Amino acid sequence: MPADPSSGFAGETPAPSAGSHQRSAAAHPARASATSAVEVRRSTRRRRTVSAYREGDRTIVLIPARMSEAEERRWVGVMLDKLAAQENKRVLGDTELAERAVRLSAQYFDGRARPVSVRWVTNQNTRWGSCTPAEGSIRLSHRLQGMPEYVVDYVLLHELAHLLVPGHGPGFWRLLEAYPRTERARGYLEGVVAADRLPHLPAAREE
């Protein structure tokens, strides 16, 4: 895969007391965002803490029932950032990477993609990953280490798909449509590439 083209828990964070706009959990049940990526759950038993965790392809954010809409939006952003920071610290070893590839194949490709080996490599600086279908081998660039898990999963699925479809034709992309974070992951990687190409500004001169 050229360089150019999930469970975590954020713990509990104390929240300040809610403002004047209060809502009950009964009147506003748990709901998903427009992208179905984030679900906010309000609880009357939760007083001053906010927590978040991954549940499949969704992120669940737990907040006190009396929080206002504005506070909800702010705390969802805070907890998403915390989860991302935690995920960035986790680095899978080769064995964990291979096990993850097997799980992803089972979840999205009905187990049809069966890699013989999956490992990190340090000699891929222009590609995020590569696959040799004849050998059943998948290699991921070490530059992915520390990126969000959904991005690593996307690259794994991209290479797993090549075990089933060698090229990048319509059939290949139809396979990847099964992964709901394909576009988000591609956007993330494109952003990394764009940032690498930005000119480095000179350091500010001290007076």
Side-chain angles (χ1 to χ4, degrees):
M1 178 185 178
D4 284 348
S6 39
S7 174
F9 183 72
E12 299 216 340
T13 300
S17 56
S20 58
H21 297 86
Q22 298 181 359
R23 301 184 298 168
S24 69
H28 300 272
R31 66 192 186 284
S33 71
T35 61
S36 295
V38 179
E39 179 179 331
V40 178
R41 296 178 182 174
R42 290 174 170 263
S43 170
T44 55
R45 298 177 61 183
R46 186 175 289 266
R47 299 296 183 184
R48 295 181 57 83
T49 60
V50 178
S51 61
Y53 61 91
R54 305 293 191 199
E55 186 176 89
D57 293 324
R58 296 180 301 166
T59 300
I60 309 301
V61 181
L62 308 175
I63 65 173
R66 60 181 183 173
M67 267 194 178
S68 68
E69 291 278 4
E71 288 173 320
E72 174 185 314
R73 288 193 296 271
R74 183 169 69 86
W75 277 100
V76 166
V78 169
M79 301 312 288
L80 288 177
D81 288 345
K82 282 199 168 192
L83 275 177
Q86 289 178 0
E87 290 171 349
N88 287 347
K89 294 177 182 178
R90 284 199 290 271
V91 177
L92 302 175
D94 285 349
T95 299
E96 294 172 307
L97 196 64
E99 293 172 348
R100 195 175 194 90
V102 171
R103 289 197 300 271
L104 289 169
S105 176
Q107 182 175 359
Y108 295 103
F109 300 152
D110 296 323
R112 291 181 293 128
R114 301 175 181 176
V116 175
S117 65
V118 184
R119 60 191 176 90
W120 297 106
V121 294
T122 58
N123 61 352
Q124 291 190 154
N125 294 317
T126 59
R127 300 172 68 86
W128 296 118
S130 61
C131 173
T132 305
E135 300 175 358
S137 62
I138 290 175
R139 299 163 297 280
L140 264 59
S141 171
H142 71 288
R143 294 183 303 141
L144 288 165
Q145 294 176 340
M147 290 189 187
E149 290 180 357
Y150 75 89
V151 175
V152 177
D153 285 352
Y154 165 71
V155 178
L156 273 174
L157 283 165
H158 186 109
E159 304 310 331
L160 285 167
H162 279 311
L163 293 177
L164 305 174
V165 180
H168 289 99
F172 174 85
W173 294 111
R174 277 197 296 271
L175 282 175
L176 285 182
E177 286 177 358
Y179 183 56
R181 295 189 177 185
T182 288
E183 290 305 316
R184 182 181 176 190
R186 284 173 60 83
Y188 184 100
L189 293 173
E190 288 168 359
V192 170
V193 171
D196 285 344
R197 291 175 176 170
L198 290 175
H200 294 287
L201 297 175
R205 185 176 60 186
E206 294 185 1
E207 296 297 336

